[in-house]
Amino acid sequence: MLAPLSWLKDFVDIDVTVEELEKRLFDSGFEVEQVIAYGDKLDKVVTCKILEITQHPNAEKLRVCQVDAGSYGKLQIITNAQNVKVGDIVPVAVDGATLATGDRIFNGKLRGEDSFGMFCGGEEIGITDDYYDGASSDGVLVFHDDFPLGAEVRDLLGLKDYVFDISVLANRPDCQSVVGIAREIACALNKPFKEPDLTFNAVSGKYENIKVSIKDTELCPRYIAHLIKDVKIEKSPKWMSRRLALCGLNSINNIVDITNYVLLEMGQPMHAFDLDNVENNEIVVRRAETNEKIVTLDEKECLLNSENLLICDGVKPIGLAGIMGGLNSEIKDETNTVLFECAKFKRDNIRRSARTLGKSSDSSKRFEKGVDEYTTERAMKRALHLVDLLKAGVVTDVDVDCSAFKEQENREVSTTFAKINGVLGIEVPKDTIVDILTRLGFGVTVDGDNIKTVAPPYREDVEGYPDLAEEVIRTYGYEHIKPTLLKDAVITAGGFSKEQQNELKVKKALVNLGYSEAMTFSFYSKKDVSALHLSEGDDEANAIIIGNPISDNYEVLRRTLVPSMLKVVSSNVKKGNMQGRIFEIAKAFIPKSLPVSDFPIEKRHLAIATFGGEDDFFTLKGVLEELASVFRVNLDLNTRAEKTYLHPGISAKIIVGGQEIGAFGQVSYETAAEFDIENKVFVAELDYDALAEFFTVPFKYKNLPKFKNVERDLALVADEKVTCAEIEAVIKSACKNNVESVRLFDVYVGEQVGEGKKSMAFSVTFKAGEDKPLETADVDGFVKRILGSLQHRLGVSLR
């Protein structure tokens, strides 16, 4: 936001230095990125009158001029300028002068003749035609005003100024204008704020009726149109063109300049239509049709869609709402009747349209941050005042104001001084709080410790007492804040919490197993979700879709980490890294309901992936078992999983404490192909928060056994459908007090065991009692009992 000091002084009496003003703005929460000084270098460039011109005796192209420079006396100036004549008043840089470029001028000789200075053009003074007519031309600037001789040019033309480049935060759109910044300065300096003049004289408009209709009131809640007749298209006065130039805008003509001036001064974008090009004197605000086209003022054609908002007349589009007017309704030299437009458009719609169409403007930037309806009405009045002031046309009383809803009531906040001071952590006197809020334009009513405030209509950001506390402290001064602890805070020795220590322990365990930590975005595309081939009943299918994604690749808030893992694998494979091990602990977002009406539940998930090399299903199973052993957690990894993205025969559930918390296995070939992966990929994902609940199980110490355990290997024949987990469960239950562990170490399928059968070899460890060792007969009895249970319950026999 650019704000010239001379313009700010129209609304507040600024009697502090530029440096002090910069500090006051910063203290009020407005960072001044830079202060641009204009005319500060220009010195000793003064006016003079040419008294006599003669030919230089030693140079054909040079002329010798005798000039009267007022207090600097009569001077001789050598010049090659051909556009000056006797009697002209021109600028001259006298001995020791500094030009706008920073160059210094001193007395010297040109081809043997003394020259006590140099005539200057607009370039040397640092101005263009926006400051003074003729300044953009080559040659010496000839003044057409009867300026006093010997006077500093910078003072005569008002060139010395400072422009504050201010960073305005997103929650303060009311300050993206000169008036908005001036309000803040008035408060900071405790000076009265001078309201801009909004008065104008309107004549009866015996003209055609102007019709305005809004087809989409959500995207355009308010639209004001006002008719100006007998328009005279002329150059703007220099005071206006200079201010526009200081803010980086070129002067075009009085009508267009008025709209730009109001944009900068009031923060409200405006547009002017040539009414002769508005069919049926009708304005229609509507969404564009798919593939509809418009040629904007920059002479570029735009292909539109239904997300774009148009300003149309009775037949055709004449403007791209909030961004740029149409070429077919621009103001021309012969324009006689003008329709001014002032409107409020939905900020996110303007932002999307400007981005997708690649068309950014000063207007769109203002609308993207937000414009309030209060300013919309005042800006129109300010523009009409300027039309009157510049005599650019006759203001009529033909006015159409379309508002989608009733005028918004001012925001009321009722609170206590104690709550405001509670936020600040200091005691600000009541009178000071009232004074500050009053200076900021709030209506304030006090009843004991209770305070009721009414926010000004342009302050749509004020919602509660924390906002009032912010307003108070930025004016009162942040230097008053003293470091204190929050109400329930305590001083600790620092370090990691137990939860953080456990997470680091998991990561270190995985790193020790050869895995690298990955960090991925919390979003992915709909295509990534569809690659999992989920059905409607799958939890992972119920993900949150982002309404305004940064791109199509990040439109889904992830419910599962599997797509993120597979994208990392795919990226590595494409870059020639054909094997690897990765993991990530990150949040998954589970919606409480669909459609979304509340914030989602955030749960940490652990995802592990391995690809290439000799890693397989059992490699990943071993990793999970190692993690379980680190935290002494019993994981059941022997029940087949049913995940659409996992191979149906090479996958298993992850169960702890009887609760299923995840699954692991080989990624199905179909899903791997969706991610352009030809290698076998094995992936595991589990609910880390659910697993972490079992990390708190305390150590239980027991004495070492007096007698050693006994192992027996059992080769069993079973139907192919019988699972390892089922057999392990029967073995343990048959001798639950004597079986220490059961481990599968071989599986065989072939002719020797018969069709539809498989051989499974288990190593069973039997533990001895506390009082006596295991005898051979004891072990034989256990084995006989186990084989009997297997035959009876599963039809499994000894091979």
Side-chain angles (χ1 to χ4, degrees), residues 568-598:
V568 173
V569 172
S570 175
S571 177
N572 276 270
V573 170
K574 289 177 181 177
K575 295 174 182 176
N577 186 13
M578 306 307 292
Q579 67 180 63
R581 295 175 170 182
I582 55 174
F583 76 92
E584 182 177 18
I585 298 177
K587 287 184 178 180
F589 302 88
I590 296 90
K592 296 177 181 177
S593 62
L594 289 175
V596 177
S597 59
D598 198 358

Side-chain angles (χ1 to χ4, degrees), residues 80-115:
N80 65 351
Q82 300 299 312
N83 67 317
V84 295
K85 63 183 184 298
V86 173
D88 286 343
I89 297 178
V90 298
V92 61
V94 297
D95 185 43
T98 304
L99 304 181
T101 58
D103 296 326
R104 300 292 303 278
I105 302 298
F106 298 98
N107 295 341
K109 287 182 179 289
L110 287 176
R111 302 296 295 271
E113 296 293 324
D114 291 328
S115 183

Side-chain angles (χ1 to χ4, degrees), residues 282-300:
E282 182 178 7
I283 295 291
V284 179
V285 185
R286 63 169 175 83
R287 288 178 181 264
E289 298 176 1
T290 302
N291 295 327
E292 191 170 6
K293 298 178 180 179
I294 184 175
V295 179
T296 48
L297 286 171
D298 57 2
E299 300 183 2
K300 294 181 180 179

Side-chain angles (χ1 to χ4, degrees), residues 187 420 432-444 451 453 467-469 471-472:
C187 177
I420 293 175
T432 303
I433 292 176
V434 172
D435 176 58
I436 290 173
L437 293 176
T438 302
R439 283 154 52 190
L440 286 169
F442 287 77
V444 181
I451 177 173
T453 65
D467 297 313
L468 297 181
E471 296 301 304
V472 169

